[in-house]
Coordinates of all heavy atoms in Angstrom, one line a residue:
M6 N -22.4 -27.5 8.6 CA -22.5 -26.1 8.4 C -22.0 -25.4 9.7 O -21.5 -24.3 9.6 CB -24.0 -25.7 8.3 CG -24.2 -24.3 7.7 SD -23.6 -24.2 6.0 CE -24.4 -22.8 5.5
D7 N -22.0 -26.1 10.9 CA -21.6 -25.5 12.1 C -20.0 -25.2 12.0 O -19.5 -24.2 12.5 CB -21.9 -26.4 13.2 CG -21.6 -25.8 14.6 OD1 -21.9 -24.6 14.7 OD2 -21.1 -26.5 15.5
I8 N -19.3 -26.2 11.4 CA -17.8 -26.0 11.3 C -17.5 -24.8 10.4 O -16.6 -24.0 10.7 CB -17.2 -27.2 10.7 CG1 -17.4 -28.4 11.7 CG2 -15.7 -27.1 10.4 CD1 -17.0 -29.8 11.2
F9 N -18.2 -24.6 9.3 CA -18.0 -23.4 8.4 C -18.2 -22.2 9.2 O -17.5 -21.2 9.0 CB -19.0 -23.6 7.2 CG -18.8 -22.5 6.2 CD1 -17.7 -22.4 5.4 CD2 -19.8 -21.5 6.1 CE1 -17.5 -21.3 4.6 CE2 -19.7 -20.4 5.2 CZ -18.5 -20.4 4.4
E10 N -19.3 -22.1 10.0 CA -19.6 -20.8 10.7 C -18.5 -20.6 11.7 O -18.1 -19.3 12.0 CB -20.9 -21.0 11.4 CG -22.1 -20.9 10.4 CD -23.4 -21.0 11.2 OE1 -23.5 -21.1 12.4 OE2 -24.5 -21.2 10.4
K11 N -17.9 -21.5 12.4 CA -16.8 -21.4 13.3 C -15.6 -20.8 12.6 O -14.9 -20.0 13.2 CB -16.5 -22.7 14.1 CG -17.5 -23.1 15.1 CD -17.1 -24.4 15.8 CE -18.0 -24.8 16.8 NZ -17.7 -26.1 17.5
I12 N -15.4 -21.3 11.5 CA -14.1 -20.9 10.7 C -14.4 -19.4 10.3 O -13.4 -18.6 10.4 CB -13.9 -21.8 9.5 CG1 -13.5 -23.1 9.9 CG2 -12.9 -21.1 8.5 CD1 -13.3 -24.2 8.8
I13 N -15.5 -19.1 9.8 CA -15.8 -17.7 9.3 C -15.8 -16.7 10.5 O -15.4 -15.6 10.3 CB -17.2 -17.7 8.5 CG1 -17.0 -18.5 7.2 CG2 -17.6 -16.3 8.2 CD1 -15.9 -17.9 6.3
N14 N -16.3 -17.2 11.6 CA -16.4 -16.3 12.8 C -15.0 -16.1 13.5 O -14.9 -15.3 14.4 CB -17.4 -16.7 13.8 CG -18.8 -16.5 13.2 OD1 -19.1 -15.6 12.4 ND2 -19.8 -17.4 13.6
N15 N -14.0 -16.9 13.1 CA -12.7 -16.8 13.7 C -12.0 -15.6 13.2 O -11.8 -15.4 12.0 CB -11.9 -18.1 13.4 CG -10.6 -18.1 14.2 OD1 -10.0 -17.1 14.5 ND2 -10.1 -19.3 14.3
K16 N -11.6 -14.7 14.1 CA -11.0 -13.4 13.7 C -9.6 -13.6 13.0 O -9.2 -12.8 12.1 CB -10.9 -12.4 14.8 CG -9.9 -12.8 15.9 CD -9.9 -11.8 17.0 CE -9.0 -12.3 18.1 NZ -8.8 -11.3 19.2
Y17 N -8.9 -14.7 13.3 CA -7.6 -14.9 12.7 C -7.8 -15.4 11.2 O -7.0 -15.0 10.4 CB -6.8 -16.0 13.5 CG -6.5 -15.5 14.9 CD1 -7.2 -16.0 16.0 CD2 -5.6 -14.4 15.1 CE1 -6.9 -15.6 17.3 CE2 -5.3 -14.0 16.4 CZ -6.0 -14.5 17.5 OH -5.7 -14.0 18.7
V18 N -8.8 -16.2 11.0 CA -9.1 -16.7 9.7 C -9.5 -15.5 8.8 O -9.0 -15.4 7.7 CB -10.2 -17.8 9.7 CG1 -10.6 -18.2 8.3 CG2 -9.6 -19.0 10.4
V19 N -10.4 -14.7 9.3 CA -10.9 -13.5 8.6 C -9.7 -12.6 8.3 O -9.6 -12.0 7.2 CB -12.0 -12.7 9.4 CG1 -12.3 -11.5 8.7 CG2 -13.2 -13.7 9.5
G20 N -8.8 -12.4 9.2 CA -7.7 -11.6 9.1 C -6.7 -12.1 8.0 O -6.2 -11.4 7.1
L21 N -6.5 -13.4 8.0 CA -5.7 -14.1 6.9 C -6.3 -13.9 5.5 O -5.6 -13.7 4.6 CB -5.4 -15.5 7.3 CG -4.4 -15.8 8.4 CD1 -4.3 -17.3 8.7 CD2 -3.0 -15.3 7.9
I22 N -7.6 -14.1 5.5 CA -8.3 -13.9 4.2 C -8.2 -12.5 3.7 O -7.9 -12.3 2.5 CB -9.8 -14.4 4.3 CG1 -9.8 -15.9 4.6 CG2 -10.6 -14.0 3.1 CD1 -11.3 -16.4 4.9
T23 N -8.3 -11.6 4.6 CA -8.3 -10.1 4.3 C -6.8 -9.8 3.8 O -6.6 -9.1 2.8 CB -8.6 -9.3 5.4 OG1 -9.9 -9.6 5.8 CG2 -8.6 -7.8 5.0
L24 N -5.9 -10.3 4.5 CA -4.4 -10.1 4.2 C -4.1 -10.7 2.8 O -3.5 -10.0 2.0 CB -3.5 -10.6 5.2 CG -2.1 -10.4 5.1 CD1 -1.7 -8.9 5.2 CD2 -1.3 -11.2 6.2
G25 N -4.6 -11.9 2.6 CA -4.3 -12.6 1.3 C -5.0 -11.8 0.2 O -4.4 -11.7 -0.9
T26 N -6.1 -11.3 0.4 CA -6.9 -10.6 -0.7 C -6.1 -9.3 -1.0 O -5.9 -8.9 -2.2 CB -8.3 -10.2 -0.2 OG1 -9.0 -11.4 0.1 CG2 -9.1 -9.5 -1.3
V27 N -5.6 -8.6 0.0 CA -4.9 -7.3 -0.2 C -3.6 -7.6 -0.9 O -3.2 -6.9 -1.9 CB -4.7 -6.5 1.1 CG1 -3.7 -5.5 1.0 CG2 -6.0 -6.1 1.7
L28 N -2.9 -8.6 -0.5 CA -1.6 -9.0 -1.1 C -1.9 -9.4 -2.6 O -1.1 -9.0 -3.5 CB -0.9 -10.0 -0.4 CG -0.3 -9.6 1.0 CD1 0.3 -10.8 1.7 CD2 0.7 -8.5 0.8
Y29 N -2.9 -10.2 -2.8 CA -3.1 -10.6 -4.2 C -3.5 -9.4 -5.1 O -3.1 -9.3 -6.2 CB -4.3 -11.6 -4.2 CG -4.6 -12.1 -5.6 CD1 -3.8 -13.0 -6.3 CD2 -5.8 -11.7 -6.2 CE1 -4.1 -13.4 -7.5 CE2 -6.1 -12.1 -7.5 CZ -5.2 -13.0 -8.2 OH -5.6 -13.4 -9.4
A30 N -4.4 -8.5 -4.5 CA -4.8 -7.4 -5.3 C -3.6 -6.4 -5.6 O -3.6 -5.7 -6.6 CB -5.9 -6.6 -4.5
S31 N -2.6 -6.4 -4.7 CA -1.5 -5.5 -4.9 C -0.6 -6.0 -6.1 O 0.2 -5.2 -6.7 CB -0.6 -5.4 -3.7 OG 0.1 -6.6 -3.4
L32 N -0.8 -7.3 -6.5 CA 0.0 -7.8 -7.7 C -0.5 -7.1 -9.0 O 0.2 -7.1 -10.0 CB -0.1 -9.2 -7.7 CG 0.5 -10.1 -6.6 CD1 0.2 -11.5 -6.7 CD2 2.0 -9.8 -6.6
A33 N -1.8 -6.6 -9.0 CA -2.3 -6.0 -10.2 C -1.6 -4.7 -10.5 O -1.5 -4.4 -11.7 CB -3.8 -5.8 -10.1
K34 N -1.1 -4.1 -9.5 CA -0.4 -2.8 -9.6 C -1.0 -1.8 -10.7 O -0.5 -1.6 -11.7 CB 1.1 -3.0 -10.0 CG 1.9 -3.6 -8.9 CD 3.3 -3.6 -9.4 CE 4.2 -4.2 -8.2 NZ 5.6 -4.3 -8.6
P35 N -2.2 -1.3 -10.2 CA -2.7 -0.2 -11.2 C -1.8 1.0 -11.2 O -1.0 1.2 -10.3 CB -4.1 0.1 -10.5 CG -3.9 -0.2 -9.1 CD -2.9 -1.4 -9.0
D36 N -1.9 1.8 -12.3 CA -1.1 2.9 -12.4 C -1.6 4.0 -11.5 O -2.7 4.3 -11.4 CB -1.1 3.4 -13.8 CG 0.0 4.4 -14.2 OD1 1.0 4.4 -13.5 OD2 -0.2 5.2 -15.1
V37 N -0.6 4.7 -10.8 CA -1.0 5.7 -9.8 C -1.1 7.0 -10.6 O -0.3 7.4 -11.3 CB 0.2 5.8 -8.8 CG1 -0.2 6.9 -7.8 CG2 0.4 4.5 -8.1
P38 N -2.3 7.7 -10.4 CA -2.5 9.0 -11.0 C -1.4 10.0 -10.6 O -1.0 10.0 -9.4 CB -3.9 9.4 -10.6 CG -4.5 8.2 -10.1 CD -3.5 7.3 -9.6
P39 N -1.0 10.9 -11.4 CA 0.0 11.9 -11.1 C -0.3 12.7 -9.8 O 0.5 13.1 -9.0 CB 0.2 12.7 -12.3 CG -0.3 11.9 -13.4 CD -1.4 11.0 -12.9
G40 N -1.6 13.1 -9.7 CA -2.0 13.9 -8.6 C -1.9 13.2 -7.3 O -1.5 13.8 -6.3
L41 N -2.2 11.9 -7.3 CA -2.1 11.1 -6.1 C -0.6 11.0 -5.7 O -0.2 10.9 -4.6 CB -2.8 9.8 -6.2 CG -2.9 8.9 -5.0 CD1 -3.7 9.5 -3.9 CD2 -3.4 7.5 -5.4
A42 N 0.2 10.8 -6.8 CA 1.7 10.6 -6.5 C 2.2 11.9 -5.9 O 3.0 11.8 -5.0 CB 2.4 10.3 -7.9
Q43 N 1.9 13.0 -6.4 CA 2.3 14.3 -5.8 C 1.8 14.5 -4.3 O 2.6 14.9 -3.5 CB 1.9 15.5 -6.6 CG 2.6 15.6 -8.0 CD 2.1 16.8 -8.7 OE1 1.0 17.3 -8.5 NE2 2.9 17.2 -9.7
L44 N 0.6 14.0 -4.1 CA 0.1 14.2 -2.7 C 0.8 13.3 -1.8 O 1.2 13.7 -0.7 CB -1.4 13.7 -2.7 CG -2.1 13.7 -1.4 CD1 -2.3 15.2 -0.9 CD2 -3.4 13.1 -1.5
F45 N 1.3 12.1 -2.2 CA 1.9 11.2 -1.3 C 3.4 11.4 -1.2 O 4.2 10.8 -0.4 CB 1.7 9.7 -1.6 CG 0.4 9.2 -1.0 CD1 -0.8 9.3 -1.7 CD2 0.3 8.8 0.3 CE1 -2.0 8.9 -1.1 CE2 -0.8 8.3 0.9 CZ -2.0 8.4 0.2
E46 N 4.0 12.4 -2.0 CA 5.4 12.8 -1.9 C 5.5 13.8 -0.8 O 6.6 14.1 -0.3 CB 5.9 13.3 -3.3 CG 6.1 12.2 -4.3 CD 6.6 12.8 -5.6 OE1 6.7 14.1 -5.7 OE2 6.7 12.0 -6.5
N47 N 4.4 14.4 -0.4 CA 4.3 15.4 0.6 C 4.6 14.8 2.0 O 3.8 13.8 2.4 CB 3.0 16.2 0.6 CG 3.0 17.3 1.5 OD1 3.7 17.5 2.5 ND2 2.0 18.2 1.3
P48 N 5.6 15.2 2.8 CA 5.8 14.6 4.1 C 4.6 14.7 5.1 O 4.4 13.8 5.9 CB 7.0 15.4 4.6 CG 7.5 16.2 3.5 CD 6.5 16.3 2.5
I49 N 3.8 15.7 5.0 CA 2.7 15.9 5.8 C 1.7 14.8 5.6 O 1.1 14.3 6.5 CB 2.0 17.3 5.7 CG1 3.1 18.4 6.2 CG2 0.8 17.4 6.4 CD1 2.7 19.8 5.9
T50 N 1.4 14.5 4.3 CA 0.5 13.4 4.0 C 1.0 12.1 4.5 O 0.2 11.3 5.1 CB 0.4 13.3 2.5 OG1 -0.1 14.5 1.9 CG2 -0.7 12.2 2.1
K51 N 2.3 11.8 4.4 CA 2.8 10.6 5.0 C 2.7 10.5 6.5 O 2.3 9.5 7.0 CB 4.3 10.5 4.6 CG 4.6 10.2 3.1 CD 6.1 10.1 2.9 CE 6.4 10.0 1.4 NZ 7.8 10.0 1.2
M52 N 2.9 11.7 7.1 CA 2.8 11.7 8.6 C 1.3 11.4 9.0 O 1.1 10.8 9.9 CB 3.3 13.0 9.1 CG 3.2 13.1 10.6 SD 4.3 11.9 11.4 CE 5.9 12.4 11.1
F53 N 0.4 12.0 8.2 CA -1.0 11.8 8.5 C -1.3 10.3 8.4 O -2.1 9.8 9.3 CB -1.9 12.6 7.5 CG -3.4 12.2 7.6 CD1 -4.1 12.7 8.7 CD2 -4.0 11.4 6.6 CE1 -5.5 12.4 8.7 CE2 -5.3 11.1 6.7 CZ -6.0 11.6 7.8
F54 N -0.8 9.6 7.4 CA -1.1 8.2 7.3 C -0.5 7.4 8.4 O -1.0 6.4 8.9 CB -0.7 7.6 5.9 CG -1.9 7.7 4.9 CD1 -2.2 8.8 4.2 CD2 -2.7 6.6 4.9 CE1 -3.2 8.9 3.3 CE2 -3.8 6.6 4.0 CZ -4.1 7.7 3.2
Y55 N 0.7 7.8 8.8 CA 1.4 7.1 10.0 C 0.5 7.3 11.2 O 0.3 6.3 11.9 CB 2.8 7.6 10.2 CG 3.8 7.4 9.1 CD1 4.7 8.3 8.7 CD2 3.8 6.1 8.4 CE1 5.6 8.0 7.7 CE2 4.7 5.8 7.4 CZ 5.7 6.8 7.1 OH 6.5 6.5 6.1
I56 N 0.1 8.4 11.4 CA -0.8 8.7 12.6 C -2.1 7.9 12.5 O -2.6 7.3 13.4 CB -1.1 10.2 12.8 CG1 0.2 10.9 13.2 CG2 -2.2 10.4 13.8 CD1 0.1 12.4 13.1
L57 N -2.7 7.9 11.3 CA -3.9 7.1 11.1 C -3.7 5.6 11.4 O -4.6 5.0 12.0 CB -4.4 7.3 9.6 CG -5.6 6.5 9.2 CD1 -6.9 7.0 9.9 CD2 -5.8 6.6 7.7
I58 N -2.6 5.1 10.9 CA -2.3 3.7 11.1 C -2.1 3.4 12.6 O -2.7 2.4 13.2 CB -1.1 3.3 10.3 CG1 -1.4 3.2 8.9 CG2 -0.6 1.9 10.8 CD1 -0.2 3.1 8.0
V59 N -1.4 4.3 13.3 CA -1.2 4.1 14.8 C -2.5 4.2 15.5 O -2.8 3.4 16.4 CB -0.2 5.0 15.3 CG1 -0.1 5.0 16.9 CG2 1.2 4.7 14.8
F60 N -3.3 5.2 15.1 CA -4.6 5.3 15.8 C -5.5 4.2 15.5 O -6.2 3.6 16.4 CB -5.3 6.6 15.3 CG -6.7 6.8 15.9 CD1 -6.9 7.2 17.3 CD2 -7.8 6.6 15.1 CE1 -8.2 7.3 17.7 CE2 -9.1 6.7 15.6 CZ -9.3 7.1 16.9
T61 N -5.5 3.7 14.3 CA -6.4 2.5 14.0 C -5.9 1.3 14.7 O -6.8 0.4 15.0 CB -6.4 2.3 12.4 OG1 -6.7 3.5 11.8 CG2 -7.4 1.3 12.0
M62 N -4.6 1.2 14.9 CA -4.1 0.0 15.6 C -4.7 -0.1 17.0 O -4.9 -1.2 17.5 CB -2.6 0.0 15.7 CG -2.0 -1.0 14.9 SD -0.2 -1.1 14.9 CE 0.5 0.0 15.9
T63 N -5.0 1.0 17.6 CA -5.5 1.0 19.0 C -7.0 0.7 19.0 O -7.6 0.2 20.0 CB -5.4 2.4 19.7 OG1 -6.1 3.4 19.0 CG2 -3.9 2.7 19.8
Q64 N -7.6 0.8 17.8 CA -9.1 0.5 17.7 C -9.4 -0.9 17.1 O -10.1 -1.6 17.6 CB -9.8 1.5 16.8 CG -9.5 3.0 17.3 CD -10.1 3.2 18.7 OE1 -11.2 2.8 19.0 NE2 -9.3 3.9 19.5
N65 N -8.7 -1.2 16.0 CA -9.0 -2.4 15.3 C -7.7 -2.9 14.5 O -7.3 -2.2 13.5 CB -10.1 -2.2 14.2 CG -10.5 -3.5 13.6 OD1 -9.8 -4.5 13.5 ND2 -11.8 -3.5 13.0
L66 N -7.0 -3.9 15.0 CA -5.8 -4.3 14.4 C -5.9 -4.8 13.0 O -5.0 -4.5 12.2 CB -5.2 -5.4 15.3 CG -3.8 -5.9 14.9 CD1 -2.8 -4.8 15.0 CD2 -3.4 -7.1 15.8
Q67 N -7.0 -5.5 12.7 CA -7.2 -6.0 11.3 C -7.2 -4.8 10.3 O -6.6 -4.9 9.2 CB -8.5 -6.7 11.2 CG -8.7 -7.4 9.8 CD -10.1 -8.2 9.9 OE1 -10.6 -8.4 10.9 NE2 -10.5 -8.6 8.7
V68 N -8.0 -3.8 10.6 CA -8.1 -2.6 9.7 C -6.7 -1.9 9.6 O -6.3 -1.5 8.5 CB -9.1 -1.6 10.2 CG1 -9.1 -0.4 9.3 CG2 -10.5 -2.3 10.1
A69 N -6.0 -1.8 10.7 CA -4.7 -1.2 10.7 C -3.7 -2.0 9.8 O -2.9 -1.4 9.1 CB -4.2 -1.2 12.1
L70 N -3.8 -3.3 9.8 CA -3.0 -4.1 9.0 C -3.3 -3.8 7.5 O -2.3 -3.7 6.7 CB -3.1 -5.6 9.3 CG -2.4 -6.1 10.5 CD1 -2.7 -7.5 10.8 CD2 -0.9 -5.9 10.4
V71 N -4.5 -3.8 7.2 CA -4.9 -3.6 5.8 C -4.4 -2.2 5.3 O -3.9 -2.0 4.2 CB -6.4 -3.8 5.6 CG1 -6.9 -3.3 4.2 CG2 -6.9 -5.1 5.8
V72 N -4.7 -1.2 6.2 CA -4.2 0.2 5.8 C -2.7 0.3 5.7 O -2.2 0.8 4.8 CB -4.8 1.2 6.8 CG1 -4.1 2.6 6.6 CG2 -6.3 1.3 6.8
S73 N -2.0 -0.4 6.5 CA -0.5 -0.4 6.5 C 0.0 -1.1 5.2 O 0.9 -0.6 4.6 CB 0.0 -1.2 7.7 OG -0.3 -0.6 8.9
I74 N -0.6 -2.2 4.9 CA -0.2 -2.9 3.6 C -0.5 -2.0 2.4 O 0.3 -1.9 1.5 CB -0.8 -4.3 3.6 CG1 -0.2 -5.2 4.7 CG2 -0.6 -4.9 2.2 CD1 -0.9 -6.5 4.9
A75 N -1.7 -1.4 2.4 CA -2.0 -0.6 1.2 C -1.1 0.6 1.2 O -0.6 1.0 0.1 CB -3.5 -0.1 1.4
F76 N -0.7 1.2 2.3 CA 0.1 2.4 2.3 C 1.6 2.0 1.9 O 2.2 2.6 1.0 CB 0.2 3.0 3.7 CG 1.1 4.2 3.8 CD1 0.7 5.4 3.2 CD2 2.2 4.2 4.6 CE1 1.5 6.5 3.4 CE2 3.1 5.3 4.6 CZ 2.6 6.5 4.0
Y77 N 2.1 0.8 2.4 CA 3.4 0.3 1.9 C 3.3 0.0 0.4 O 4.3 0.3 -0.3 CB 3.7 -0.9 2.7 CG 5.0 -1.5 2.2 CD1 6.2 -1.0 2.6 CD2 5.0 -2.7 1.3 CE1 7.4 -1.6 2.1 CE2 6.1 -3.2 1.0 CZ 7.4 -2.6 1.2 OH 8.5 -3.2 0.8
T78 N 2.3 -0.6 -0.1 CA 2.2 -0.9 -1.5 C 2.3 0.4 -2.3 O 2.9 0.4 -3.4 CB 1.0 -1.8 -1.8 OG1 1.0 -3.0 -1.0 CG2 0.9 -2.2 -3.3
L79 N 1.5 1.3 -1.9 CA 1.5 2.6 -2.6 C 2.8 3.3 -2.6 O 3.3 3.8 -3.7 CB 0.4 3.5 -2.0 CG 0.2 4.9 -2.7 CD1 -0.2 4.8 -4.1 CD2 -0.7 5.8 -1.9
M80 N 3.5 3.3 -1.5 CA 4.8 3.9 -1.4 C 5.8 3.2 -2.3 O 6.7 3.8 -3.0 CB 5.3 4.0 0.1 CG 4.5 4.9 0.9 SD 4.8 6.6 0.5 CE 3.3 7.0 -0.2
S81 N 5.7 1.9 -2.3 CA 6.6 1.0 -3.1 C 6.3 1.3 -4.6 O 7.3 1.5 -5.4 CB 6.4 -0.4 -2.8 OG 7.1 -1.2 -3.7
M82 N 5.1 1.4 -5.0 CA 4.8 1.7 -6.4 C 5.3 3.1 -6.8 O 5.8 3.3 -7.9 CB 3.3 1.7 -6.6 CG 2.7 0.3 -6.6 SD 0.9 0.1 -6.6 CE 0.5 1.2 -7.9
L83 N 5.2 4.1 -5.9 CA 5.6 5.5 -6.2 C 7.2 5.5 -6.3 O 7.7 6.1 -7.2 CB 5.2 6.4 -5.2 CG 3.7 6.7 -5.1 CD1 3.3 7.6 -3.9 CD2 3.2 7.3 -6.4
R84 N 7.9 4.8 -5.4 CA 9.3 4.7 -5.5 C 9.8 4.0 -6.7 O 10.7 4.5 -7.4 CB 9.8 3.9 -4.3 CG 11.3 4.0 -4.0 CD 11.7 3.4 -2.7 NE 10.9 2.3 -2.2 CZ 10.0 2.5 -1.2 NH1 9.9 3.7 -0.6 NH2 9.3 1.4 -0.7
E85 N 9.1 3.0 -7.2 CA 9.4 2.3 -8.4 C 9.2 3.2 -9.6 O 10.0 3.2 -10.5 CB 8.6 1.0 -8.5 CG 8.9 0.2 -9.7 CD 8.1 -1.1 -9.8 OE1 7.9 -1.8 -8.7 OE2 7.6 -1.5 -10.8
R86 N 8.1 3.9 -9.6 CA 7.8 4.8 -10.7 C 8.8 5.9 -10.8 O 9.3 6.2 -11.9 CB 6.4 5.4 -10.4 CG 6.0 6.4 -11.4 CD 4.6 7.0 -11.1 NE 4.2 8.0 -12.0 CZ 3.0 8.5 -12.0 NH1 2.2 8.2 -11.1 NH2 2.7 9.5 -12.8
K87 N 9.3 6.5 -9.7 CA 10.3 7.5 -9.6 C 11.6 7.0 -10.2 O 12.3 7.6 -11.0 CB 10.5 8.1 -8.3 CG 11.4 9.3 -8.2 CD 11.4 9.8 -6.8 CE 10.6 11.1 -6.8 NZ 10.6 11.8 -5.5
I88 N 12.0 5.8 -9.8 CA 13.3 5.2 -10.3 C 13.2 5.0 -11.8 O 14.1 5.2 -12.5 CB 13.5 3.8 -9.5 CG1 13.9 4.1 -8.1 CG2 14.6 3.0 -10.2 CD1 14.0 2.9 -7.2
T89 N 12.1 4.5 -12.3 CA 11.9 4.3 -13.7 C 12.0 5.6 -14.5 O 12.7 5.6 -15.5 CB 10.5 3.5 -14.0 OG1 10.5 2.3 -13.3 CG2 10.4 3.3 -15.5
E90 N 11.3 6.6 -14.0 CA 11.3 7.9 -14.7 C 12.8 8.5 -14.7 O 13.2 9.0 -15.7 CB 10.4 8.9 -13.9 CG 8.9 8.6 -14.2 CD 8.0 9.5 -13.4 OE1 8.5 10.3 -12.5 OE2 6.8 9.3 -13.6
N91 N 13.5 8.3 -13.6 CA 14.9 8.8 -13.6 C 15.8 8.1 -14.5 O 16.6 8.6 -15.2 CB 15.4 8.8 -12.1 CG 14.8 9.8 -11.2 OD1 14.2 10.8 -11.7 ND2 14.9 9.6 -9.9
F92 N 15.5 6.7 -14.5 CA 16.3 5.9 -15.5 C 16.1 6.3 -16.9 O 17.1 6.5 -17.7 CB 16.0 4.4 -15.2 CG 16.8 3.5 -16.1 CD1 18.1 3.2 -15.8 CD2 16.2 3.0 -17.3 CE1 18.8 2.4 -16.6 CE2 16.9 2.2 -18.0 CZ 18.3 1.8 -17.7
I93 N 14.9 6.5 -17.3 CA 14.5 6.9 -18.7 C 15.1 8.2 -19.0 O 15.6 8.5 -20.1 CB 13.0 6.8 -18.9 CG1 12.5 5.4 -18.8 CG2 12.6 7.5 -20.2 CD1 11.0 5.2 -18.8
E94 N 15.0 9.2 -18.0 CA 15.5 10.5 -18.2 C 17.0 10.5 -18.4 O 17.6 11.2 -19.3 CB 15.2 11.4 -17.1 CG 15.6 12.9 -17.2 CD 15.1 13.7 -16.1 OE1 14.0 13.5 -15.6 OE2 15.9 14.6 -15.6
N95 N 17.8 9.7 -17.6 CA 19.2 9.6 -17.7 C 19.6 8.9 -19.1 O 20.6 9.3 -19.6 CB 19.8 8.7 -16.6 CG 19.8 9.6 -15.3 OD1 19.7 10.8 -15.3 ND2 19.8 8.8 -14.1
Q96 N 18.8 8.0 -19.5 CA 19.0 7.3 -20.8 C 18.9 8.4 -21.9 O 19.7 8.4 -22.9 CB 18.1 6.1 -21.0 CG 18.4 5.0 -20.2 CD 19.7 4.3 -20.5 OE1 20.2 4.2 -21.6 NE2 20.4 3.9 -19.4
K97 N 17.9 9.2 -21.9 CA 17.7 10.3 -22.9 C 19.0 11.2 -22.9 O 19.4 11.6 -24.0 CB 16.4 11.0 -22.7 CG 15.3 10.1 -23.0 CD 13.9 11.0 -22.7 CE 12.7 10.1 -23.0 NZ 11.5 10.9 -22.7
L98 N 19.4 11.6 -21.7 CA 20.5 12.5 -21.6 C 21.8 11.9 -22.2 O 22.6 12.5 -22.8 CB 20.8 12.9 -20.1 CG 19.7 13.8 -19.5 CD1 20.0 14.1 -18.0 CD2 19.7 15.2 -20.3
C99 N 22.0 10.6 -21.9 CA 23.2 9.9 -22.4 C 23.1 9.8 -24.0 O 24.2 9.9 -24.6 CB 23.3 8.5 -21.8 SG 23.7 8.5 -20.1
H100 N 22.0 9.6 -24.5 CA 21.9 9.5 -26.0 C 22.0 10.8 -26.7 O 22.4 10.9 -27.8 CB 20.6 8.8 -26.4 CG 20.5 7.4 -26.1 ND1 21.3 6.5 -26.7 CD2 19.7 6.6 -25.2 CE1 21.1 5.2 -26.2 NE2 20.1 5.3 -25.3
N101 N 21.7 11.9 -26.0 CA 21.8 13.3 -26.5 C 23.2 13.7 -26.5 O 23.6 14.6 -27.3 CB 21.0 14.2 -25.8 CG 19.4 14.0 -26.1 OD1 19.1 13.5 -27.0 ND2 18.6 14.5 -25.1
L102 N 24.1 13.1 -25.8 CA 25.5 13.6 -25.8 C 26.2 13.0 -26.9 O 26.6 12.8 -27.8 CB 26.2 13.1 -24.5 CG 25.7 13.7 -23.2 CD1 26.4 13.1 -21.9 CD2 25.9 15.2 -23.2

């Protein structure tokens, strides 16, 4: 039992477990609500999250990594959604001609 406690109390192991969990959860890719998508298209919101990540890095690197990965995943999902919507819209325009 002593070895298990040493592994769990190791901050690097906990960080890797957290990172793995976040990355695995990002594979589920839940649909982003339209209101949240509009909020994160705003440059002020993006700047707020950048500042939050930098501030958190000075306090707790593990939390900063989790927030950074979540923010990157959200931005990636929004970019993918916008590309898909534009593609569908262009396809509709081409078929109407």
Side-chain angles (χ1 to χ4, degrees):
M6 197 67 161
D7 189 39
I8 295 172
F9 181 72
E10 288 178 8
K11 286 182 181 180
I12 292 173
I13 293 300
N14 290 330
N15 187 334
K16 64 181 180 179
Y17 297 109
V18 172
V19 173
L21 284 173
I22 291 171
T23 304
L24 183 64
T26 304
V27 169
L28 290 175
Y29 179 75
S31 70
L32 293 175
K34 288 189 178 179
D36 195 26
V37 180
L41 187 64
Q43 288 178 343
L44 179 68
F45 276 94
E46 287 177 1
N47 186 343
I49 294 173
T50 304
K51 290 180 186 178
M52 185 59 73
F53 172 75
F54 266 88
Y55 293 140
I56 291 170
L57 177 68
I58 290 167
V59 170
F60 175 73
T61 307
M62 248 180 3
T63 63
Q64 305 298 317
N65 187 338
L66 184 60
Q67 181 180 351
V68 173
L70 283 173
V71 171
V72 172
S73 299
I74 292 170
F76 183 69
Y77 174 78
T78 304
L79 179 63
M80 292 292 108
S81 178
M82 289 170 50
L83 292 175
R84 190 171 30 256
E85 183 179 319
R86 178 180 175 173
K87 186 176 257 184
I88 289 170
T89 304
E90 288 173 355
N91 288 340
F92 180 77
I93 292 170
E94 186 177 320
N95 287 338
Q96 290 295 320
K97 287 179 183 178
L98 290 174
C99 288
H100 287 297
N101 289 337
L102 294 177

